Amino acid sequence: MEGLYQQTNKQVHEVQSYMGHLETSDKESVHLVENEIQARIDNIFSNLERLEILSSKEPPNKRQSAKLRVDQLKYDVQHLQTALRNFQHRRYLREQQERQREELLARTFTTNGTHKKILDVANMLGLSNTVMRLIEKRAFQDKFLMLGGMALTCLIMFLVVQYLT
């Protein structure tokens, strides 16, 4: 029992050191390190099952202490398993965000196509290109009339406030 306990405890410490390597490993080797850690954790869990069986076979005066040591190891391994899952989840989210970013950067943005839709509707209604050009010219002129009217209105409001108050 004691030899298996020491071996399992050593494996737990090795997994903890591998967790440190996980943070510093590059994108290509991170999967290999994760798989190695998961395999070691699985091995530790199988050792813990054997240790539980062996601890129940210990003499009564040592049984409580043996079970306590096995439970402590189990607790440590569960925390390592949780830390690995959290790391994998964070890595998955980062990769997903990078993919979404790349998709957005690769996408070509266009205008709404409202102008083209208007032209299509006008063509369907039978308006000629000449009439369409006149409408566009009028719309351009209307912008200047609107801006001039706004400027004139602001000037009148300024003069009213200046001289009547």
Side-chain angles (χ1 to χ4, degrees):
M1 156 113 185
E2 189 62 32
L4 184 60
Y5 175 80
Q6 293 298 331
Q7 178 187 1
T8 306
N9 196 21
K10 182 180 174 192
Q11 288 175 343
V12 168
H13 290 296
E14 288 173 359
V15 169
Q16 288 172 342
S17 71
Y18 269 112
M19 292 295 280
H21 295 299
L22 195 60
E23 296 290 336
T24 59
S25 61
D26 57 348
K27 289 182 180 182
E28 291 79 29
S29 64
V30 72
H31 295 292
L32 297 173
V33 176
E34 284 178 359
N35 291 340
E36 178 68 25
I37 289 173
Q38 188 59 52
R40 288 178 183 249
I41 287 175
D42 293 340
N43 187 19
I44 292 171
F45 274 125
S46 67
N47 284 352
L48 285 173
E49 289 174 5
R50 290 197 313 245
L51 279 171
E52 282 182 333
I53 293 169
L54 292 174
S55 69
S56 65
K57 294 181 180 179
E58 286 287 314
N61 57 347
K62 293 183 179 178
R63 190 176 299 152
Q64 183 67 26
S65 172
K67 284 189 182 241
L68 186 63
R69 289 170 48 187
V70 171
D71 287 342
Q72 181 63 40
L73 271 180
K74 190 182 287 189
Y75 179 77
D76 292 343
V77 174
Q78 287 172 345
H79 277 284
L80 289 173
Q81 181 79 34
T82 303
L84 178 63
R85 285 189 186 133
N86 286 340
F87 178 82
Q88 289 171 332
H89 182 69
R90 284 193 316 270
R91 182 181 50 78
Y92 172 74
L93 289 177
R94 268 195 317 271
E95 289 173 356
Q96 187 178 17
Q97 288 171 348
E98 287 176 14
R99 277 194 307 274
Q100 289 173 348
R101 182 179 180 274
E102 291 301 320
E103 288 173 7
L104 283 175
L105 290 174
R107 186 180 296 172
T108 56
F109 290 99
T110 59
T111 58
N112 290 347
T114 309
H115 183 71
K116 184 179 183 302
K117 287 179 186 176
I118 290 173
L119 289 176
D120 290 341
V121 169
N123 285 332
M124 284 176 32
L125 293 175
L127 296 176
S128 69
N129 287 337
T130 308
V131 174
M132 292 302 296
R133 275 190 237 112
L134 287 173
I135 292 172
E136 288 176 3
K137 184 178 177 184
R138 177 67 189 262
F140 184 73
Q141 292 171 349
D142 287 350
K143 283 184 193 176
F144 286 112
L145 284 173
M146 179 190 67
L147 291 173
M150 290 169 56
L152 183 65
T153 304
C154 288
L155 180 67
I156 290 172
M157 288 175 28
F158 175 75
L159 291 174
V160 166
V161 168
Q162 186 73 22
Y163 292 112
L164 295 179
T165 56

